Amino acid sequence: GAVVSQHPSRVICKSGTSVKIECRSLDFQATTMFWYRQFPKQSLMLMATSNEGSKATYEQGVEKDKFLINHASLTLSTLTVTSAHPEDSSFYICSARVPGLAEDTQYFGPGTRLTVL
Amino acid sequence: GESVGLHLPTLSVQEGDNSIINCAYSNSASDYFIWYKQESGKGPQFIIDIRSNMDKRQGQRVTVLLNKTVKHLSLQIAATQPGDSAVYFCAENIRGGSQGNLIFGKGTKLSVKP
């Protein structure tokens, strides 16, 4: 099946620093990737849609200057949390649409646990 | 933001029994539905999907039922095993919707007793 990886799996940083999270499609090319955030015991909330070669589309209420998304290649999208604060601590998960399958099917990465001290 | 006091609905079953997890969706225009399994500290794992032109689809040990009249989706797991313990999310999508965005339900925690 389609494999999506994320790096790092876990990161702890100080308040005010920036953190970059990578999402890679390992065995396919993904023109569209999605970034979600999940707080404890809650569902996944879509943050933004990442499109290869163009600007990301952000959901309402998500600050695009705080959560920078770059989709520079067909296998890599990055999410940078800038000037992170403790309230940004969360589980960040990416997904990718798999070409050739049902257009709506998304496969998810393993997630990145961000803790901001 | 985070809701204080929020907890997931929990379904507790005995190993070997069948499990039924329910989901109500809100958008009558949704035409594609997916069930995901999420284990603690991991990303969601695709289980099974169904399109709105079907009312039932079977996989290995899992069956998804769709009732469009009452906007209800269910996941049936046969002979539930300890490895099935996880949080299960339903997700809906509108074909041709905003780049295929999925809308996730709140989730149900399945706990399997040995």
Side-chain angles (χ1 to χ4, degrees):
Chain A
V3 179
V4 178
S5 71
Q6 282 183 243
H7 178 80
S9 58
R10 191 179 291 266
V11 57
I12 301 172
C13 69
K14 293 182 179 179
S15 186
T17 61
S18 294
V19 174
K20 180 186 283 188
I21 303 170
E22 294 184 349
C23 177
R24 292 183 186 272
S25 55
L26 297 186
D27 50 1
F28 65 99
Q29 294 182 328
T31 54
T32 304
M33 292 183 172
F34 302 88
W35 286 97
Y36 293 82
R37 180 167 52 185
Q38 185 179 33
F39 291 109
K41 297 186 179 181
Q42 292 194 30
S43 189
L44 283 75
M45 295 298 296
L46 180 67
M47 298 176 66
T49 303
S50 172
N51 301 295
E52 189 269 335
S54 64
K55 291 183 178 180
T57 303
Y58 289 82
E59 294 300 299
Q60 194 171 13
V62 178
E63 299 175 59
K64 62 180 180 181
D65 294 330
K66 180 168 181 65
F67 298 100
L68 301 178
I69 291 173
N70 184 280
H71 194 156
S73 78
L74 287 171
T75 59
L76 173 65
S77 175
T78 61
L79 168 69
T80 301
V81 183
T82 63
S83 187
H85 289 95
E87 57 265 32
D88 297 323
S89 298
S90 189
F91 194 49
Y92 291 87
I93 311 171
C94 72
S95 72
R97 274 226 301 262
V98 182
L101 293 185
E103 62 190 45
D104 319 300
T105 303
Q106 293 181 26
Y107 284 84
F108 286 80
T112 297
R113 173 76 59 193
L114 171 62
T115 302
V116 185
L117 303 177
Chain B
E2 187 171 357
S3 299
V4 175
L6 183 69
H7 64 277
L8 290 169
T10 299
L11 172 66
S12 186
V13 300
Q14 201 71 37
E15 181 179 359
D17 287 351
N18 297 333
S19 304
I20 300 177
I21 300 171
N22 297 303
C23 176
Y25 64 94
S26 56
N27 195 332
S28 56
S30 294
D31 59 4
Y32 179 61
F33 306 87
I34 311 174
W35 279 100
Y36 286 96
K37 170 186 180 183
Q38 187 179 29
E39 297 175 326
S40 181
K42 297 183 179 180
Q45 175 187 359
F46 176 93
I47 301 175
I48 191 168
D49 60 358
I50 188 169
R51 296 212 172 271
S52 59
N53 60 352
M54 304 172 68
D55 53 21
K56 180 179 180 179
R57 189 162 188 229
Q58 287 185 293
Q60 188 176 18
R61 271 201 316 120
V62 294
T63 301
V64 55
L65 298 177
L66 174 63
N67 185 331
K68 294 181 288 294
T69 302
V70 295
K71 292 188 284 190
H72 183 268
L73 195 67
S74 69
L75 176 70
Q76 300 178 2
I77 304 174
T80 313
Q81 302 168 1
D84 295 326
S85 294
V87 177
Y88 289 81
F89 293 97
C90 66
E92 59 183 298
N93 177 254
I94 302 171
R95 182 184 290 273
S98 179
Q99 301 192 58
N101 295 353
L102 293 176
I103 301 171
F104 280 80
K106 290 187 168 67
T108 297
K109 182 177 180 179
L110 176 65
S111 178
V112 182
K113 295 176 287 186

